[in-house]
């Protein structure tokens, strides 16, 4: 995992304060934390906009690239989530890196990397341009705080 990742709580606070980056990498296999970050991005960045999820290995890279490079005539914002990044073909690495280094303010791109220790030159290059978020299962000493936060946001006692 990239060392400079920030916690889920910190990123949620930043997103709520409208400090939204154009590229995120979610490092870790806690799907609830990943979904929490993605739902906060959707709520704060594109309440009426579009969210697209690409599952690499199922969806093809060309569809992802078309979505990233398509231009809208209107002021449309979109959130693009890419899961299973390990399945992206190496022939698309250069295009994705070019997009990430010059990404649009109208599009937020989120890579979900379920293995927090996954390393390749490609993902390390992307992580230099992205906001890295730690979405691993919380440590046992943080579990009470996490359950309290989650129950509060869901309106449970």
């Amino acid at each position: 995992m990239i060392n400079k990742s920030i916690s889920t709580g910190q990123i949620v606070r930043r997103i709520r304060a409208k400090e939204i980056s154009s590229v995120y990498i979610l490092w870790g296999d806690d799907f609830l934390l990943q979904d929490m970050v993605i739902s906060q991005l959707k709520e704060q960045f594109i309440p009426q906009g579009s969210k697209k999820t690409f599952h690499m290995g199922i969806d093809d890279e060309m569809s992802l690239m078309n979505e990233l490079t398509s231009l809208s005539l209107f002021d449309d914002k979109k959130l693009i989530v890419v899961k299973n990044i390990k399945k992206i073909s190496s022939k698309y690495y250069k295009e994705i890196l070019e997009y990430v280094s010059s990404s649009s303010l109208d599009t937020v791109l989120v890579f979900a990397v379920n293995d927090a220790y996954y390393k390749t030159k490609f993902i390390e290059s992307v992580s230099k341009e992205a906001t890295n978020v730690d979405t691993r299962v919380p440590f046992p000493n943080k579990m009470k705080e996490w359950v309290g936060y989650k129950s509060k946001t869901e309106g449970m006692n």
Side-chain angles (χ1 to χ4, degrees):
M1 180 175 60
I2 306 304
N3 290 332
K4 58 185 177 196
S5 61
I6 59 177
S7 73
T8 307
Q10 290 172 319
I11 201 62
V12 167
R13 284 189 288 280
R14 285 186 185 179
I15 292 169
R16 287 184 179 164
K18 304 286 191 209
E19 295 175 23
I20 298 175
S21 300
S22 56
V23 181
Y24 292 90
I25 299 180
L26 307 179
W27 296 94
D29 58 355
D30 190 325
F31 300 112
L32 289 174
L33 292 176
Q34 288 179 3
D35 288 343
M36 182 172 66
V37 172
I38 292 167
S39 67
Q40 283 296 315
L41 283 168
K42 181 166 180 7
E43 185 178 312
Q44 299 297 325
F45 182 67
I46 55 159
Q48 282 80 19
S50 66
K51 173 188 164 227
K52 297 221 177 182
T53 302
F54 291 91
H55 297 273
M56 297 294 97
I58 298 171
D59 299 316
D60 64 352
E61 293 94 343
M62 199 60 192
S63 298
L64 170 62
M65 295 311 300
N66 287 338
E67 190 64 38
L68 288 174
T69 57
S70 66
L71 298 174
S72 175
L73 297 175
F74 306 102
D75 189 23
D76 290 338
K77 295 184 180 207
K78 54 187 170 182
L79 173 64
I80 299 173
V81 180
V82 180
K83 297 188 176 199
N84 203 7
I85 194 171
K86 293 178 183 181
K87 298 281 185 174
I88 294 177
S89 173
S90 60
K91 71 180 187 177
Y92 291 97
Y93 287 178
K94 183 179 178 188
E95 288 179 73
I96 292 172
L97 289 172
E98 286 174 2
Y99 175 82
V100 166
S101 64
S102 64
S103 54
S104 165
L105 296 175
D106 292 336
T107 302
V108 172
L109 177 61
V110 179
F111 291 105
V113 180
N114 294 339
D115 181 359
Y117 302 100
Y118 176 66
K119 284 188 180 180
T120 64
K121 286 184 180 185
F122 168 67
I123 197 68
E124 286 180 7
S125 297
V126 171
S127 72
K128 290 176 185 173
E129 302 289 332
T131 299
N132 296 278
V133 183
D134 184 357
T135 58
R136 292 177 292 174
V137 175
F139 293 112
N141 63 346
K142 293 284 189 178
M143 196 59 72
K144 184 177 180 181
E145 179 183 330
W146 162 239
V147 171
Y149 171 80
K150 189 67 177 163
S151 62
K152 182 180 174 184
T153 60
E154 297 291 326
M156 297 184 284
N157 289 327

